[in-house]
């Protein structure tokens, strides 16, 4: 895929804030979400782990889905989801039902972010089979059609067609799953890597009969310069997420990136 082809993808820039549920008690997380929404952030994400991913390994930490249900009730405008849910931790049909329920609580603001899982400590301490990268991806490929089928059976159904966000950049399996199922594809790619991966994803879209332009391209902002973000934008990225961690959840960088979003959307 060429830069010019990628940059022709439609869509406004959106900014997400990943409020990592670590190193802070719930009142601080709740307060941070209120501030993030008030700033006009488009999406609030958490993550689906059972232990901190940085800092004190046994530090404060909370579970993803129960937080998301509370967030759905607390907020009124911001979209929300996990970046990303771990498919291995819950039965596929149960995931679909939980997603549908949170979609109703939020009034249709839920994003079903999912992936195959990777943090081995979560698996070991909670009694899940870690398997291999390949086996976990195979399970995700099997479970996504089950999730979609369950959404079609639930009464009441989801408020809307719940957007599916898939994280990861594996070229043989992950991007094929993305081409088949995702409304949003998230990666941590540099501009050079993103350009290459988009070419691979475009090939998989051709294989499965999908238009790449239907998939919103999502990436991470933490550690990025404005120049890098501009390059990712030119390649077609439209959802940019900034990671925030407790105990303090510094929102100053988020404010700066929201201003960058507004400048892009004014073009």
């Amino acid at each position: 895929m060429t830069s010019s082809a990628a940059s022709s993808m439609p869509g406004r820039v959106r900014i997400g804030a990943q409020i990592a549920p670590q190193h802070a008690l719930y009142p601080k997380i709740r307060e941070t979400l209120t501030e993030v929404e008030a700033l006009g952030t488009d999406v609030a994400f958490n993550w689906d782990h059972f232990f901190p991913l940085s800092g004190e390994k046994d530090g404060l930490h909370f579970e993803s889905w129960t937080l998301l249900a509370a967030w759905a009730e607390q907020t009124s405008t911001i979209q929300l989801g996990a970046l990303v849910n771990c498919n291995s931790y819950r039965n596929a049909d149960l995931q679909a039902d939980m997603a549908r329920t949170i979609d109703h609580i939020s009034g249709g603001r839920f994003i079903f972010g999912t992936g195959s899982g990777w943090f081995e400590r979560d698996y070991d301490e909670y009694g899940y089979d870690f398997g291999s990268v390949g086996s976990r991806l195979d399970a995700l490929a099997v479970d996504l059609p089950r999730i979609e089928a369950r959404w079609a059976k639930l009464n009441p159904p989801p408020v809307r067609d719940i957007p599916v966000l898939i994280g990861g950049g594996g070229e043989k399996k992950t991007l094929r799953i993305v081409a088949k199922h995702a409304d949003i594809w998230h990666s941590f790619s540099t501009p050079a890597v993103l350009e290459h991966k988009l070419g691979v994803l475009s090939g998989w879209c051709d294989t499965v009969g999908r238009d790449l332009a239907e998939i919103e391209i999502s990436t991470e902002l933490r550690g990025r310069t404005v120049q890098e973000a501009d390059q990712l934008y030119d390649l077609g990225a439209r959802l940019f997420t900034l990671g925030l961690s407790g105990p303090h959840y510094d929102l100053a960088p988020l404010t700066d990136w929201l201003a960058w979003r507004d400048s892009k959307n004014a073009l």
Side-chain angles (χ1 to χ4, degrees):
M1 165 173 284
T2 65
S3 297
S4 60
S7 61
S8 68
M9 292 180 182
R12 294 170 59 82
V13 173
R14 300 196 295 160
I15 296 291
Q18 185 182 44
I19 305 171
Q22 63 176 13
H23 307 309
L25 292 173
Y26 179 68
K28 180 61 177 178
I29 295 172
R30 191 182 195 284
E31 171 191 306
T32 299
L33 176 62
T34 295
E35 294 172 348
V36 163
E37 184 177 37
L39 286 171
T41 310
D42 298 285
V43 188
F45 292 110
N46 62 18
W47 65 36
D48 190 17
H49 295 286
F50 305 130
F51 301 95
L53 297 185
S54 62
E56 170 53 48
K57 67 177 185 178
D58 293 316
L60 300 171
H61 198 277
F62 290 99
E63 192 275 329
S64 172
W65 281 87
T66 43
L67 275 179
L68 289 172
W71 288 9
E73 186 65 40
Q74 175 187 338
T75 58
S76 59
T77 60
I78 199 166
Q79 294 191 45
L80 53 111
L83 192 65
V84 288
N85 166 69
C86 179
N87 182 65
S88 306
Y89 301 159
R90 300 162 196 90
N91 168 276
D93 294 88
L94 175 61
Q95 292 179 58
D97 206 339
M98 292 192 300
R100 180 280 308 255
T101 299
I102 295 176
D103 194 49
H104 274 264
I105 296 169
S106 69
R109 292 179 288 117
F110 185 71
I111 295 172
F112 181 64
T114 194
S116 59
W118 62 273
F119 191 40
E120 190 168 5
R121 185 185 181 193
D122 286 344
Y123 288 81
D124 291 344
E125 296 223 24
Y126 277 61
Y128 297 108
D129 179 20
F130 188 57
S132 66
V133 172
S135 68
R136 295 192 302 275
L137 281 168
D138 290 343
L140 180 63
V142 169
D143 287 346
L144 278 167
R146 285 181 56 190
I147 290 166
E148 293 163 354
R150 180 57 56 185
W151 282 336
K153 296 176 183 177
L154 288 169
N155 186 14
V159 173
R160 61 171 178 166
D161 290 335
I162 297 176
V164 174
L165 179 155
I166 296 175
E171 297 180 12
K172 293 182 178 179
K173 291 188 176 183
T174 303
L175 292 183
R176 179 170 187 142
I177 297 170
V178 169
K180 196 169 184 179
H181 297 283
D183 300 289
I184 307 167
W185 168 54
H186 182 82
S187 75
F188 294 85
S189 302
T190 63
V193 171
L194 181 63
E195 184 166 19
H196 168 72
K197 298 285 187 185
L198 284 171
V200 176
L201 179 57
S202 180
W204 281 123
C205 285
D206 291 341
T207 298
V208 305
R210 186 97 185 274
D211 184 350
L212 176 60
E214 296 174 7
I215 302 173
E216 184 177 19
I217 307 304
S218 170
T219 191
E220 166 71 27
L221 279 172
R222 186 166 40 190
R224 303 277 192 216
T225 64
V226 170
Q227 181 183 17
E228 288 174 308
D230 286 342
Q231 291 173 333
L232 293 164
Y233 172 87
D234 289 342
L235 287 166
R238 290 297 181 269
L239 176 55
F240 296 82
T241 295
L242 182 66
L244 306 171
S245 179
H248 302 300
Y249 298 109
D250 179 13
L251 301 186
L254 177 62
T255 301
D256 292 339
W257 284 115
L258 288 168
W260 176 82
R261 174 201 66 186
D262 294 343
S263 70
K264 289 296 185 188
N265 288 339
L267 295 175

